[in-house]
Amino acid sequence: MEQATSFFKFRAVKRIACMDNFLRALKVVQNTILANKGELTMSQYTELLSKIKELEEALKTKQAIVPARKASNMHNAAWEWLRNKGITDGTHPQNFLTREQFATMLKRYHDSFNKN
């Protein structure tokens, strides 16, 4: 029962993060439009459409859009070790980890012992 509760909490957190990103993006759009008295340049319009598509995709896949960040100082050495060993590609160190991704990383770690 505890696993199910944790799973639903995780799903709720992902959904909230996704909606939070959506609301932040809407606020940026609103501020841009207000700052320009309702008029957008072509580049602003193109950027806006790109952001809307990104958000739509995130809502479809229920993935939170997390800005690219580096691993925190506390975890940087371990993250670099994983990247250098080929266990991870080194991108998005602060994103959620699915069980599929964990299984792949665990297998890569195991396979690194069998190479030698």
Side-chain angles (χ1 to χ4, degrees):
M1 186 62 158
E2 180 60 33
Q3 280 184 319
T5 304
S6 296
F7 172 76
F8 289 115
K9 284 181 185 175
F10 173 75
R11 298 270 311 214
V13 167
K14 282 180 75 172
R15 171 106 6 128
I16 289 168
C18 194
M19 291 307 296
D20 184 52
N21 285 327
F22 181 72
L23 293 174
R24 265 191 269 133
L26 283 178
K27 190 70 172 169
V28 168
V29 169
Q30 179 185 17
N31 290 341
T32 302
I33 292 172
L34 289 175
N36 293 313
K37 298 181 180 137
E39 297 177 6
L40 296 174
T41 65
M42 191 57 160
S43 64
Q44 289 171 324
Y45 177 72
T46 305
E47 184 179 346
L48 175 60
L49 286 180
S50 172
K51 183 53 105 174
I52 289 171
K53 285 181 183 180
E54 183 182 346
L55 290 168
E56 285 174 344
E57 187 60 33
L59 288 171
K60 274 189 225 170
T61 61
K62 297 178 182 70
Q63 292 292 318
I65 300 171
V66 179
R69 290 181 251 168
K70 294 183 179 183
S72 61
N73 289 339
M74 178 190 290
H75 304 289
N76 195 45
W79 188 255
E80 287 301 313
W81 180 82
L82 286 169
R83 194 175 63 75
N84 291 335
K85 292 286 186 184
I87 296 169
T88 182
D89 64 3
T91 60
H92 309 295
Q94 296 186 14
N95 273 14
F96 294 114
L97 177 69
T98 65
R99 286 179 285 206
E100 289 175 319
Q101 291 168 325
F102 177 72
T104 299
M105 291 173 72
L106 192 59
K107 178 155 180 8
R108 287 176 185 164
Y109 179 71
H110 172 55
D111 290 350
S112 72
F113 286 111
N114 293 333
K115 274 190 208 176
N116 300 329

